[in-house]
Amino acid sequence: MKIAILGYGKMGKTIEEIAQDRGHKITLKVDEDIDSYDLTNLDADVAIDFSVPKAAFKNITTCFELGIPVVSGTTGWLDHYDKAVEVCEKHDTAFLYASNFSIGVNLFFELNEKLAGMMKNLEEYSVEVEEIHHVQKLDSPSGTAISLAQQIIANNPKKIAWQLDHAEDDEIPIYAKRESNVPGTHTVSYKSEIDSIEIKHTAHSRQGFAKGAVIAAEWLKGKEGIYRMKDVLSEILK
């Protein structure tokens, strides 16, 4: 499979290494904004976008206009997500966005959704989300933390929104911390006066995120439509 990498930072380099190890060819490596590259003859089956928020929308929609499916893990640009979907559908190609491509994190999402449904009527428990990442991470809170909070909201009618650091009773607080050399740690906590329940995912390196993105790209090749990592996971877990 031929892959274009949009965003050639640490994650992009890790994706390149894993993709090549799995027998794929890298046909383009874009540092940030795709505008500075000649894409007239871009030869790629799928593009993988881990760029920066300000460049993501342009990178992604340019590929759609060329008929190239996109797997994107860039966070901080989602105000433009619906427009990107429109462009994707207009050009009959495919889009898979995920806040986190790690297979382990996506299993964690499944656990979070199940636990949220079990806890929704237990009013003695408060719930919060904490995320810890490396100091170079640009957005706060992380897209993964937001996804966890949104899952809880979808399963708990008493919660209507999330807020960073400070929240009302009908909101979920997300606490974002930045520390050196932390690839990503996410914890969902339910606390009462008598006990606490926690589920936690700790990434040890970028390998899990990058491998999941490459697996998603392999799955997306040749498809049309809008997908989620849940669609990939359902096939892996058959």
Side-chain angles (χ1 to χ4, degrees), residues 130-191:
E130 180 188 82
E131 58 100 338
I132 308 173
H133 280 87
H134 51 86
V135 294
Q136 291 83 18
K137 185 168 180 58
L138 298 177
D139 54 320
S140 180
S142 69
T144 300
I146 293 172
S147 294
L148 290 165
Q150 288 174 335
Q151 283 185 314
I152 298 167
I153 292 165
N155 285 277
N156 188 334
K158 299 178 183 67
K159 300 296 182 183
I160 63 170
W162 62 266
Q163 294 291 340
L164 184 60
D165 295 332
H166 302 289
E168 302 297 329
D169 289 342
D170 60 353
E171 298 172 331
I172 299 169
I174 300 178
Y175 300 102
K177 299 180 180 179
R178 297 293 174 261
E179 300 176 4
S180 300
N181 302 316
V182 179
T185 300
H186 293 86
T187 305
V188 178
S189 302
Y190 291 86
K191 299 178 180 180

Side-chain angles (χ1 to χ4, degrees), residues 115-126:
L115 182 58
M118 296 170 68
M119 300 296 292
K120 65 181 180 181
N121 294 321
L122 300 178
E123 296 184 3
E124 63 268 34
Y125 287 90
S126 61

